[in-house]
Amino acid sequence: LVDQVCDLFSTLDGVAVIGLSGVLAYLSRRERPVEFVDDLRGLFHFEPIAAVCASVCLLSLSGLPLLAGFWSRLFVALSAMNVRGEWGPPGMLIPHAGLLLLTVFLASSAVWSASIAMRSVWLMLFGLPLGHPRPAGAVSSLFSAVLASVILIGCGVLPGPLLSWLCAPRVEQHLPQEPPKAPALDDQGGTR
């Protein structure tokens, strides 16, 4: 069950990537595509919806609490804790070496990605714009980013309904059986 939940919340990281890609597609122009973080400097001043959506997606990807990315990383860690270790001194469970390695990797990648995301969000929300570029992308790209942000916030703030749905026991529905048919009679009045 933890694996299913882990897979679902990891899929929500894909939703964050789709949302961020939607913002970048909305902002891209032929003469100057968005390639660097400085291209997003001051985005909040002229495209506040795009800036907020990009911020939510980036912070979810970095695992900020109250967003779906936090739950994704939490369930990966819980799934890793299910790995059996060996019993050492009396009553002490020594964790598997892979768990320790995974924990170190998750902690260092979380700090690294959070620092990059926070720098990007700071520049988008509080930096002074370098210019006032007009977005050339379709509004549907921005709509996908808004929808992704709503999903990430909803699943992050209220994971309970989603987890209840996943943890609910599955009830198999059987098709109603037809009543047994009477034996067929052949022409002489006997049964076949």
Side-chain angles (χ1 to χ4, degrees):
L1 179 65
V2 173
D3 294 335
Q4 292 172 339
V5 174
C6 183
D7 290 342
L8 174 77
F9 278 100
S10 295
T11 303
L12 290 175
D13 282 349
V15 171
V17 169
I18 290 171
L20 188 58
S21 299
V23 169
L24 295 178
Y26 174 70
L27 295 173
S28 68
R29 300 176 308 277
R30 287 186 188 202
E31 64 274 359
R32 186 170 180 210
V34 178
E35 294 177 343
F36 303 104
V37 174
D38 282 338
D39 294 335
L40 299 174
R41 181 184 294 271
L43 183 63
F44 188 73
H45 294 286
F46 53 89
E47 287 292 330
I49 294 173
V52 169
C53 291
S55 299
V56 167
C57 292
L58 278 171
L59 293 175
S60 179
L61 283 171
S62 68
L64 186 75
L66 296 180
L67 292 172
F70 168 75
W71 297 107
S72 163
R73 276 119 190 103
L74 178 68
F75 285 115
V76 166
L78 289 176
S79 181
M81 285 182 196
N82 250 350
V83 174
R84 300 282 182 221
E86 297 177 8
W87 288 96
M92 184 174 183
L93 180 67
I94 299 173
H96 190 273
L99 174 63
L100 296 175
L101 183 64
L102 179 66
T103 304
V104 169
F105 176 74
L106 283 176
S108 61
S109 66
V111 169
W112 179 68
S113 66
S115 67
I116 292 172
M118 292 305 266
R119 178 182 179 269
S120 302
V121 168
W122 183 265
L123 284 176
M124 280 190 291
L125 298 180
F126 304 112
L128 295 175
L130 297 177
H132 186 21
R134 304 239 183 246
V139 177
S140 60
S141 299
L142 184 62
F143 177 73
S144 70
V146 170
L147 185 62
S149 297
V150 168
I151 290 171
L152 293 172
I153 292 171
C155 290
V157 173
L158 297 172
L162 185 60
L163 292 174
S164 298
W165 175 72
L166 283 173
C167 297
R170 303 286 185 231
V171 178
E172 293 183 24
Q173 295 180 358
H174 298 286
L175 296 175
Q177 295 181 351
E178 294 181 22
K181 294 183 180 180
L185 299 174
D186 50 347
D187 294 338
Q188 286 103 15
T191 58
R192 287 193 236 179

